[in-house]
Amino acid sequence: MQTYRIARAAQLLGVSDDTVRRWIDQGLLPVTDATPAEIPGDALAARAVELAEEARNAGDLLSSARNRFVGIVTRVQVEGLMAQVDIQSGPHRVVSLMSSEAARDLRLEVGSLATASVKATQVVVEIPNG
């Protein structure tokens, strides 16, 4: 079973090390007997699913897209008919290309809360080498 140290778990969940430690103290994440503490991969995966479900339930929007990234708009670049919008969602940077009209209609600006929904027929999965 793969295990993760607190700092790596925090990075994967997009939260601080202190948040992971609080979750451990609250019994929301188990740890192994290893020193320093490690979190079992299956427990980390379950917590990630819980967090995603909480974010999904926070809105009043129903969607067929299952890949949703809630984050903060960090850049809006409008050029002619098109706009590029960057959203930082935890450790993930999601970039969307849309019409300038859509960006204006959504009133997107740096600092806005936004959700990027991704629906694709192909997803590439990678693992660390070694």
Side-chain angles (χ1 to χ4, degrees):
M1 164 76 58
Q2 176 91 32
T3 59
Y4 298 91
R5 290 187 176 179
I6 289 174
R8 182 66 172 142
Q11 181 184 35
L12 292 169
L13 294 175
V15 299
S16 71
D17 295 11
D18 288 336
T19 297
V20 171
R21 286 186 189 92
R22 277 194 299 277
W23 288 341
I24 291 168
D25 292 343
Q26 294 168 354
L28 296 172
L29 278 175
V31 292
T32 66
D33 292 333
T35 303
E38 294 182 343
I39 300 163
D42 58 349
L44 190 63
R47 185 68 182 143
V49 170
E50 290 170 7
L51 293 172
E53 188 64 30
E54 288 172 11
R56 190 175 302 121
N57 292 338
D60 58 358
L61 179 69
L62 297 176
S63 174
S64 65
R66 295 294 177 247
N67 304 305
R68 304 183 77 230
F69 299 88
V70 178
I72 301 293
V73 175
T74 58
R75 180 178 176 201
V76 178
Q77 182 177 350
V78 178
E79 292 185 19
L81 295 174
M82 298 301 295
Q84 176 181 324
V85 178
D86 294 22
I87 297 172
Q88 193 67 41
S89 176
H92 307 288
R93 175 178 169 245
V94 182
V95 179
S96 175
L97 299 177
M98 64 182 70
S99 70
S100 297
E101 179 182 11
R104 280 191 304 275
D105 288 350
L106 293 172
R107 297 186 196 114
L108 294 174
E109 59 185 30
V110 172
S112 298
L113 178 65
T115 302
S117 298
V118 180
K119 187 159 185 170
T121 58
Q122 183 177 10
V123 175
V124 176
V125 175
E126 299 173 340
I127 61 169
N129 187 13

